Amino acid sequence: MNFKVLTGIAVCIALAILSVSNPMTAQYVETLKEPAVAVDSKPGDLMEKIKSEAEKYEIPPIDAKNDPVWKGTPGYNGLKVNIKSSYEKMKEEGKFDSERLVFEQVPPKMHLSGLPPLPIYRGNPEKPMASFIINVAWGNEYIPDMLAALKKHQIYATFFLEGRWVKQNPELAKMIAESGHEIGNHSFSHPQMETLTPQKIREEMSKTNEIIEATTGRRVSLFGPPSGGFNDEVVKIADELKMKTILWSVDTIDWQKPSPSVIVERVTSKLHNGALILMHPTASTSSALPALIMAIKQEEIRIGTVSSLLKEERIIKTGNNSLLKGKSNNKN
């Protein structure tokens, strides 16, 4: 073996000895021996973490009740964490993330259907939603503009139609229904319902339901008594005809022909979760409607049909907007 080869071997041996004895090299080697640090704990630990955190996010449901002031008050779904689905969303990253929690709604034990027949003045006070009640027995000239404003803002209202009006204005009634709005019963001839005999009450309601269904194809499930007049017999007969009796909690008083700004102020000053807002097809309301819609939306209150408002489904602000549409009338 020649001198150059021996020299090369000696240099390699020296370098090897130096690299092993170098503390920085030794430290690096040791890190390679250590196990990789987990993003989070074991799968079982992640599941337990989700279970332990779930209680913090749960909201109990609210039962429907006969309120001393507001009478029939619908229930409202609660929320609970779906443990399994939440785990499936987090397992890839292996760590708990509250933003990935999956919720499911929990219905109340008592529903409106379980209460005796009662008038309804508002929705559940925890539900950030309101409804426009539009009573129609006149004001034909303002209806197209109101429908256009509602369509522009993608709002669905509940129009309570007088039976006699539907008979005289079938095309306008069809226009309202075909625009996706809910149709309610506003009696046939606009009488003081509380003064009628049971037979006459039933006649006023039944005749109107028949005309509305024949004209629009919609079955009616809501009754709005003219001028808000009712008694226990009215509510009872409406219930027998499978209709809820609907009143209101906010009144535009638009028949006084106030300025649009006054209507907006009247509504926004009394606006609340579950509000039922009474209006009519008037020049004042037609002009105020766009500004009123925007003012309500600024309060983060959704606007939908009465039937949508009375549903128990909880509104989740980051969820879907299916409650906005609320086409509740059966067409079959």
Side-chain angles (χ1 to χ4, degrees):
M1 190 176 295
N2 60 40
F3 177 77
K4 288 184 179 181
V5 173
L6 290 172
T7 302
I9 293 172
V11 169
C12 289
I13 292 171
L15 288 172
I17 293 170
L18 286 172
S19 65
V20 172
S21 60
N22 188 320
M24 295 299 293
T25 304
Q27 184 179 355
Y28 173 71
V29 172
E30 286 302 313
T31 60
L32 293 178
K33 293 179 182 179
E34 294 175 359
V37 178
V39 175
D40 206 332
S41 51
K42 299 175 182 178
D45 293 336
L46 175 58
M47 180 69 80
E48 290 304 314
K49 176 69 171 177
I50 295 172
K51 289 179 180 179
S52 66
E53 291 289 323
E55 293 183 7
K56 300 178 183 178
Y57 297 90
E58 291 182 0
I59 303 173
I62 302 171
D63 283 340
K65 68 177 181 178
N66 180 0
D67 187 89
V69 175
W70 299 101
K71 304 305 179 185
T73 303
Y76 197 37
N77 285 353
L79 285 180
K80 72 175 182 179
V81 175
N82 185 310
I83 304 294
K84 183 177 179 181
S85 297
S86 298
Y87 173 76
E88 291 298 318
K89 281 214 165 192
M90 298 181 205
K91 69 178 183 180
E92 185 174 343
E93 292 189 7
K95 62 181 180 180
F96 178 82
D97 182 356
S98 62
E99 295 295 321
R100 291 177 173 268
L101 286 171
V102 178
F103 294 89
E104 59 185 46
Q105 301 207 15
V106 183
K109 293 180 179 179
M110 177 59 72
H111 311 281
L112 269 180
S113 59
L115 299 176
L118 295 165
I120 297 170
Y121 288 85
R122 67 174 186 182
N124 190 285
E126 294 297 318
K127 188 169 186 173
M129 189 175 186
S131 295
F132 290 153
I133 294 173
I134 306 174
N135 288 349
V136 181
W138 38 264
N140 297 11
E141 62 269 39
Y142 304 111
I143 290 174
D145 285 346
M146 291 178 71
L147 291 175
L150 292 168
K151 181 178 180 180
K152 179 179 179 181
H153 292 276
Q154 297 182 308
I155 297 299
Y156 294 85
T158 300
F159 286 76
F160 285 86
L161 308 182
E162 183 196 74
R164 181 175 53 188
W165 181 89
V166 175
K167 189 175 182 179
Q168 295 170 352
N169 302 277
E171 293 307 314
L172 274 177
K174 288 179 185 177
M175 183 186 299
I176 292 169
E178 289 170 0
S179 296
H181 301 290
E182 184 174 37
I183 306 297
N185 181 322
H186 195 47
S187 81
F188 181 78
S189 60
H190 213 274
Q192 291 180 292
M193 297 294 292
E194 70 274 25
T195 67
L196 304 182
T197 64
Q199 181 180 351
K200 189 62 177 175
I201 291 171
R202 190 178 298 273
E203 181 182 321
E204 284 279 333
M205 294 180 183
S206 298
K207 192 173 181 180
T208 301
N209 281 352
E210 291 168 5
I211 290 172
I212 289 175
E213 185 169 358
T215 304
T216 68
R218 302 289 189 87
R219 291 181 183 175
V220 179
S221 62
L222 303 172
F223 174 66
S227 305
F230 70 94
N231 56 21
D232 290 344
E233 194 68 26
V234 170
V235 178
K236 177 175 175 289
I237 292 173
D239 182 71
E240 290 172 359
L241 295 174
K242 302 187 184 307
M243 294 189 293
K244 297 179 178 69
T245 299
I246 305 299
L247 282 302
W248 59 87
S249 60
V250 180
D251 192 351
T252 60
I253 322 177
D254 52 5
W255 52 270
Q256 291 182 345
K257 301 180 181 179
S259 67
S261 61
V262 168
I263 286 183
V264 174
E265 171 61 23
R266 281 177 179 167
V267 173
T268 55
S269 65
K270 296 180 179 178
L271 187 63
H272 57 87
N273 287 347
L276 288 168
I277 303 167
L278 177 64
M279 57 183 66
H280 304 82
T282 68
S284 298
T285 297
S286 179
S287 298
L289 204 50
L292 180 58
I293 290 170
M294 295 304 295
I296 294 173
K297 286 185 173 181
Q298 286 176 359
E299 297 297 322
E300 297 187 351
I301 292 179
R302 295 185 183 180
I303 307 170
T305 64
V306 172
S307 288
S308 293
L309 179 65
L310 300 184
K311 288 179 179 178
E312 295 167 343
E313 279 79 1
R314 174 172 287 272
I315 291 179
I316 302 174
K317 293 183 179 179
T318 56
N320 65 58
N321 295 325
S322 61
L323 290 178
L324 282 173
K325 198 164 187 178
K327 294 183 179 179
S328 304
N329 291 95
N330 284 325
K331 296 183 180 180
N332 300 321

